[in-house]
mmCIF file of all heavy atoms in Angstrom:
data_model
loop_
_atom_site.group_PDB
_atom_site.id
_atom_site.type_symbol
_atom_site.label_atom_id
_atom_site.label_comp_id
_atom_site.label_asym_id
_atom_site.label_seq_id
_atom_site.Cartn_x
_atom_site.Cartn_y
_atom_site.Cartn_z
ATOM 1 N N GLY Q 17 5.590 -10.285 3.911
ATOM 2 C CA GLY Q 17 5.135 -9.203 3.051
ATOM 3 C C GLY Q 17 4.005 -9.651 2.144
ATOM 4 O O GLY Q 17 3.582 -10.816 2.160
ATOM 5 N N LEU Q 18 3.515 -8.751 1.306
ATOM 6 C CA LEU Q 18 2.321 -9.034 0.506
ATOM 7 C C LEU Q 18 2.534 -10.173 -0.478
ATOM 8 O O LEU Q 18 1.750 -11.132 -0.513
ATOM 9 C CB LEU Q 18 1.881 -7.775 -0.239
ATOM 10 C CG LEU Q 18 0.616 -7.954 -1.087
ATOM 11 C CD1 LEU Q 18 -0.585 -8.252 -0.214
ATOM 12 C CD2 LEU Q 18 0.367 -6.736 -1.955
ATOM 13 N N VAL Q 19 3.569 -10.097 -1.315
ATOM 14 C CA VAL Q 19 3.781 -11.123 -2.335
ATOM 15 C C VAL Q 19 4.031 -12.477 -1.690
ATOM 16 O O VAL Q 19 3.472 -13.505 -2.118
ATOM 17 C CB VAL Q 19 4.947 -10.733 -3.265
ATOM 18 C CG1 VAL Q 19 5.230 -11.845 -4.272
ATOM 19 C CG2 VAL Q 19 4.628 -9.439 -4.006
ATOM 20 N N GLU Q 20 4.855 -12.505 -0.639
ATOM 21 C CA GLU Q 20 5.130 -13.762 0.047
ATOM 22 C C GLU Q 20 3.843 -14.378 0.595
ATOM 23 O O GLU Q 20 3.618 -15.590 0.493
ATOM 24 C CB GLU Q 20 6.090 -13.534 1.221
ATOM 25 C CG GLU Q 20 7.426 -12.904 0.862
ATOM 26 C CD GLU Q 20 7.406 -11.402 1.051
ATOM 27 O OE1 GLU Q 20 6.911 -10.722 0.125
ATOM 28 O OE2 GLU Q 20 7.852 -10.907 2.097
ATOM 29 N N GLY Q 44 3.407 -8.646 7.920
ATOM 30 C CA GLY Q 44 3.329 -7.604 6.916
ATOM 31 C C GLY Q 44 4.644 -7.028 6.457
ATOM 32 O O GLY Q 44 4.695 -6.369 5.414
ATOM 33 N N SER Q 45 5.719 -7.193 7.224
ATOM 34 C CA SER Q 45 7.014 -6.647 6.828
ATOM 35 C C SER Q 45 6.875 -5.155 6.516
ATOM 36 O O SER Q 45 6.320 -4.415 7.314
ATOM 37 C CB SER Q 45 7.553 -7.440 5.622
ATOM 38 O OG SER Q 45 8.838 -7.028 5.267
ATOM 39 N N SER Q 46 7.334 -4.711 5.347
ATOM 40 C CA SER Q 46 7.257 -3.283 4.986
ATOM 41 C C SER Q 46 5.861 -2.861 4.551
ATOM 42 O O SER Q 46 5.653 -1.709 4.164
ATOM 43 C CB SER Q 46 8.247 -2.976 3.854
ATOM 44 O OG SER Q 46 9.563 -3.269 4.249
ATOM 45 N N TRP Q 47 4.899 -3.795 4.614
ATOM 46 C CA TRP Q 47 3.504 -3.500 4.252
ATOM 47 C C TRP Q 47 2.632 -3.353 5.495
ATOM 48 O O TRP Q 47 1.416 -3.160 5.376
ATOM 49 C CB TRP Q 47 2.940 -4.634 3.407
ATOM 50 C CG TRP Q 47 3.663 -4.913 2.138
ATOM 51 C CD1 TRP Q 47 4.749 -5.717 1.955
ATOM 52 C CD2 TRP Q 47 3.354 -4.384 0.846
ATOM 53 N NE1 TRP Q 47 5.126 -5.725 0.630
ATOM 54 C CE2 TRP Q 47 4.289 -4.925 -0.074
ATOM 55 C CE3 TRP Q 47 2.377 -3.516 0.369
ATOM 56 C CZ2 TRP Q 47 4.269 -4.617 -1.433
ATOM 57 C CZ3 TRP Q 47 2.350 -3.217 -0.977
ATOM 58 C CH2 TRP Q 47 3.296 -3.763 -1.866
ATOM 59 N N ALA Q 87 14.716 -2.229 5.487
ATOM 60 C CA ALA Q 87 13.907 -1.766 4.368
ATOM 61 C C ALA Q 87 13.290 -0.410 4.692
ATOM 62 O O ALA Q 87 13.079 0.419 3.814
ATOM 63 C CB ALA Q 87 12.819 -2.783 4.045
ATOM 64 N N SER Q 141 3.068 1.356 4.000
ATOM 65 C CA SER Q 141 2.949 1.437 2.532
ATOM 66 C C SER Q 141 1.481 1.441 2.126
ATOM 67 O O SER Q 141 0.947 0.427 1.664
ATOM 68 C CB SER Q 141 3.675 0.255 1.877
ATOM 69 O OG SER Q 141 5.012 0.190 2.296
ATOM 70 N N LYS Q 143 -1.832 1.738 0.063
ATOM 71 C CA LYS Q 143 -2.186 1.617 -1.348
ATOM 72 C C LYS Q 143 -3.698 1.476 -1.495
ATOM 73 O O LYS Q 143 -4.382 1.003 -0.579
ATOM 74 C CB LYS Q 143 -1.491 0.415 -1.993
ATOM 75 C CG LYS Q 143 0.006 0.621 -2.250
ATOM 76 C CD LYS Q 143 0.621 -0.565 -2.963
ATOM 77 C CE LYS Q 143 2.109 -0.363 -3.224
ATOM 78 N NZ LYS Q 143 2.360 0.622 -4.279
ATOM 79 N N ILE Q 342 11.811 -15.697 -0.448
ATOM 80 C CA ILE Q 342 12.294 -14.701 0.509
ATOM 81 C C ILE Q 342 11.947 -13.303 0.021
ATOM 82 O O ILE Q 342 11.793 -13.065 -1.177
ATOM 83 C CB ILE Q 342 13.828 -14.796 0.727
ATOM 84 C CG1 ILE Q 342 14.580 -14.584 -0.597
ATOM 85 C CG2 ILE Q 342 14.204 -16.114 1.365
ATOM 86 C CD1 ILE Q 342 16.085 -14.506 -0.433
ATOM 87 N N GLU Q 343 11.805 -12.378 0.963
ATOM 88 C CA GLU Q 343 11.544 -10.993 0.566
ATOM 89 C C GLU Q 343 12.843 -10.324 0.128
ATOM 90 O O GLU Q 343 13.932 -10.693 0.560
ATOM 91 C CB GLU Q 343 10.873 -10.218 1.692
ATOM 92 C CG GLU Q 343 11.652 -10.151 2.989
ATOM 93 C CD GLU Q 343 10.938 -9.327 4.038
ATOM 94 O OE1 GLU Q 343 10.813 -8.099 3.830
ATOM 95 O OE2 GLU Q 343 10.512 -9.904 5.053
ATOM 96 N N ASP Q 344 12.707 -9.336 -0.738
ATOM 97 C CA ASP Q 344 13.867 -8.688 -1.362
ATOM 98 C C ASP Q 344 14.889 -8.185 -0.359
ATOM 99 O O ASP Q 344 16.097 -8.310 -0.572
ATOM 100 C CB ASP Q 344 13.403 -7.509 -2.229
ATOM 101 C CG ASP Q 344 13.220 -7.924 -3.681
ATOM 102 O OD1 ASP Q 344 13.505 -9.090 -3.993
ATOM 103 O OD2 ASP Q 344 12.795 -7.081 -4.488
ATOM 104 N N CYS Q 345 14.421 -7.577 0.732
ATOM 105 C CA CYS Q 345 15.378 -6.961 1.659
ATOM 106 C C CYS Q 345 16.208 -8.003 2.400
ATOM 107 O O CYS Q 345 17.216 -7.659 3.014
ATOM 108 C CB CYS Q 345 14.665 -6.028 2.633
ATOM 109 S SG CYS Q 345 13.631 -6.864 3.848
ATOM 110 N N ILE Q 356 11.773 5.253 -1.542
ATOM 111 C CA ILE Q 356 10.503 5.982 -1.457
ATOM 112 C C ILE Q 356 10.579 6.910 -0.260
ATOM 113 O O ILE Q 356 11.008 6.503 0.833
ATOM 114 C CB ILE Q 356 9.322 5.012 -1.289
ATOM 115 C CG1 ILE Q 356 9.262 4.027 -2.466
ATOM 116 C CG2 ILE Q 356 8.005 5.765 -1.136
ATOM 117 C CD1 ILE Q 356 8.312 2.869 -2.237
ATOM 118 N N ILE Q 449 11.675 4.198 2.528
ATOM 119 C CA ILE Q 449 11.561 2.761 2.283
ATOM 120 C C ILE Q 449 12.458 2.426 1.097
ATOM 121 O O ILE Q 449 12.333 3.035 0.027
ATOM 122 C CB ILE Q 449 10.113 2.344 1.977
ATOM 123 C CG1 ILE Q 449 9.197 2.687 3.153
ATOM 124 C CG2 ILE Q 449 10.036 0.854 1.651
ATOM 125 C CD1 ILE Q 449 7.739 2.367 2.911
ATOM 126 N N ASN Q 450 13.363 1.491 1.291
ATOM 127 C CA ASN Q 450 14.280 1.103 0.221
ATOM 128 C C ASN Q 450 13.599 0.195 -0.785
ATOM 129 O O ASN Q 450 12.807 -0.686 -0.418
ATOM 130 C CB ASN Q 450 15.504 0.381 0.793
ATOM 131 C CG ASN Q 450 16.406 1.307 1.591
ATOM 132 O OD1 ASN Q 450 16.545 2.478 1.260
ATOM 133 N ND2 ASN Q 450 17.016 0.784 2.643
ATOM 134 N N GLU Q 451 13.897 0.410 -2.068
ATOM 135 C CA GLU Q 451 13.476 -0.501 -3.130
ATOM 136 C C GLU Q 451 14.702 -1.290 -3.577
ATOM 137 O O GLU Q 451 15.785 -0.727 -3.730
ATOM 138 C CB GLU Q 451 12.891 0.261 -4.310
ATOM 139 C CG GLU Q 451 11.552 0.901 -4.034
ATOM 140 C CD GLU Q 451 10.940 1.502 -5.283
ATOM 141 O OE1 GLU Q 451 11.288 2.663 -5.612
ATOM 142 O OE2 GLU Q 451 10.152 0.823 -5.947
ATOM 143 N N TYR Q 452 14.529 -2.586 -3.808
ATOM 144 C CA TYR Q 452 15.652 -3.477 -4.085
ATOM 145 C C TYR Q 452 15.601 -4.014 -5.511
ATOM 146 O O TYR Q 452 14.534 -4.182 -6.096
ATOM 147 C CB TYR Q 452 15.665 -4.643 -3.092
ATOM 148 C CG TYR Q 452 15.976 -4.218 -1.676
ATOM 149 C CD1 TYR Q 452 14.973 -3.724 -0.846
ATOM 150 C CD2 TYR Q 452 17.264 -4.292 -1.175
ATOM 151 C CE1 TYR Q 452 15.251 -3.324 0.449
ATOM 152 C CE2 TYR Q 452 17.561 -3.898 0.126
ATOM 153 C CZ TYR Q 452 16.548 -3.410 0.922
ATOM 154 O OH TYR Q 452 16.834 -3.009 2.203
ATOM 155 N N SER Q 454 16.792 -7.330 -7.492
ATOM 156 C CA SER Q 454 17.280 -8.700 -7.354
ATOM 157 C C SER Q 454 17.700 -9.222 -8.720
ATOM 158 O O SER Q 454 16.844 -9.473 -9.572
ATOM 159 C CB SER Q 454 16.187 -9.598 -6.767
ATOM 160 O OG SER Q 454 15.833 -9.174 -5.475
ATOM 161 N N SER Q 465 12.712 -14.440 -5.091
ATOM 162 C CA SER Q 465 12.798 -13.205 -4.318
ATOM 163 C C SER Q 465 11.573 -12.346 -4.608
ATOM 164 O O SER Q 465 11.198 -12.154 -5.767
ATOM 165 C CB SER Q 465 14.080 -12.451 -4.685
ATOM 166 O OG SER Q 465 14.269 -11.327 -3.861
ATOM 167 N N CYS Q 466 10.937 -11.830 -3.567
ATOM 168 C CA CYS Q 466 9.675 -11.087 -3.706
ATOM 169 C C CYS Q 466 9.886 -9.588 -3.534
ATOM 170 O O CYS Q 466 10.527 -9.160 -2.565
ATOM 171 C CB CYS Q 466 8.668 -11.558 -2.664
ATOM 172 S SG CYS Q 466 8.251 -13.291 -2.802
ATOM 173 N N PRO Q 467 9.349 -8.780 -4.435
ATOM 174 C CA PRO Q 467 9.510 -7.324 -4.313
ATOM 175 C C PRO Q 467 8.721 -6.754 -3.151
ATOM 176 O O PRO Q 467 7.642 -7.249 -2.809
ATOM 177 C CB PRO Q 467 8.977 -6.811 -5.658
ATOM 178 C CG PRO Q 467 7.999 -7.850 -6.096
ATOM 179 C CD PRO Q 467 8.553 -9.162 -5.610
ATOM 180 N N GLY Q 468 9.256 -5.684 -2.587
ATOM 181 C CA GLY Q 468 8.552 -4.957 -1.541
ATOM 182 C C GLY Q 468 7.711 -3.841 -2.128
ATOM 183 O O GLY Q 468 7.407 -3.837 -3.322
ATOM 184 N N PRO Q 469 7.316 -2.862 -1.326
ATOM 185 C CA PRO Q 469 6.477 -1.759 -1.796
ATOM 186 C C PRO Q 469 7.148 -0.939 -2.889
ATOM 187 O O PRO Q 469 8.375 -0.864 -2.971
ATOM 188 C CB PRO Q 469 6.270 -0.909 -0.538
ATOM 189 C CG PRO Q 469 6.539 -1.834 0.593
ATOM 190 C CD PRO Q 469 7.584 -2.784 0.119
ATOM 191 N N ASP Q 470 6.318 -0.334 -3.739
ATOM 192 C CA ASP Q 470 6.820 0.551 -4.785
ATOM 193 C C ASP Q 470 5.986 1.827 -4.800
ATOM 194 O O ASP Q 470 5.142 2.043 -3.921
ATOM 195 C CB ASP Q 470 6.795 -0.146 -6.154
ATOM 196 C CG ASP Q 470 5.403 -0.632 -6.541
ATOM 197 O OD1 ASP Q 470 4.410 -0.087 -6.012
ATOM 198 O OD2 ASP Q 470 5.286 -1.563 -7.366
ATOM 199 N N LEU Q 471 6.219 2.672 -5.814
ATOM 200 C CA LEU Q 471 5.543 3.968 -5.878
ATOM 201 C C LEU Q 471 4.157 3.908 -6.500
ATOM 202 O O LEU Q 471 3.415 4.888 -6.450
ATOM 203 C CB LEU Q 471 6.399 4.958 -6.683
ATOM 204 C CG LEU Q 471 7.545 5.643 -5.930
ATOM 205 C CD1 LEU Q 471 8.436 6.399 -6.901
ATOM 206 C CD2 LEU Q 471 7.003 6.587 -4.864
ATOM 207 N N HIS Q 478 2.034 -6.359 -7.868
ATOM 208 C CA HIS Q 478 2.453 -7.346 -6.876
ATOM 209 C C HIS Q 478 1.603 -8.615 -6.964
ATOM 210 O O HIS Q 478 2.106 -9.724 -6.753
ATOM 211 C CB HIS Q 478 2.395 -6.742 -5.479
ATOM 212 C CG HIS Q 478 3.431 -5.686 -5.251
ATOM 213 N ND1 HIS Q 478 3.238 -4.372 -5.615
ATOM 214 C CD2 HIS Q 478 4.690 -5.756 -4.731
ATOM 215 C CE1 HIS Q 478 4.318 -3.671 -5.311
ATOM 216 N NE2 HIS Q 478 5.213 -4.482 -4.776
ATOM 217 N N LYS Q 481 3.005 -10.453 -9.935
ATOM 218 C CA LYS Q 481 4.277 -11.078 -9.568
ATOM 219 C C LYS Q 481 4.036 -12.348 -8.763
ATOM 220 O O LYS Q 481 4.678 -13.388 -8.996
ATOM 221 C CB LYS Q 481 5.118 -10.089 -8.760
ATOM 222 C CG LYS Q 481 6.462 -10.641 -8.276
ATOM 223 C CD LYS Q 481 7.417 -10.930 -9.414
ATOM 224 C CE LYS Q 481 8.772 -11.342 -8.911
ATOM 225 N NZ LYS Q 481 9.708 -11.687 -10.009
#
Side-chain angles (χ1 to χ4, degrees):
L18 181 65
V19 176
E20 302 95 278
S45 185
S46 300
W47 301 86
S141 305
K143 286 183 180 288
I342 59 173
E343 59 178 293
D344 266 357
C345 70
I356 301 168
I449 300 177
N450 291 325
E451 290 187 275
Y452 292 83
S454 297
S465 186
C466 299
D470 57 23
L471 278 170
H478 291 85
K481 178 67 174 178

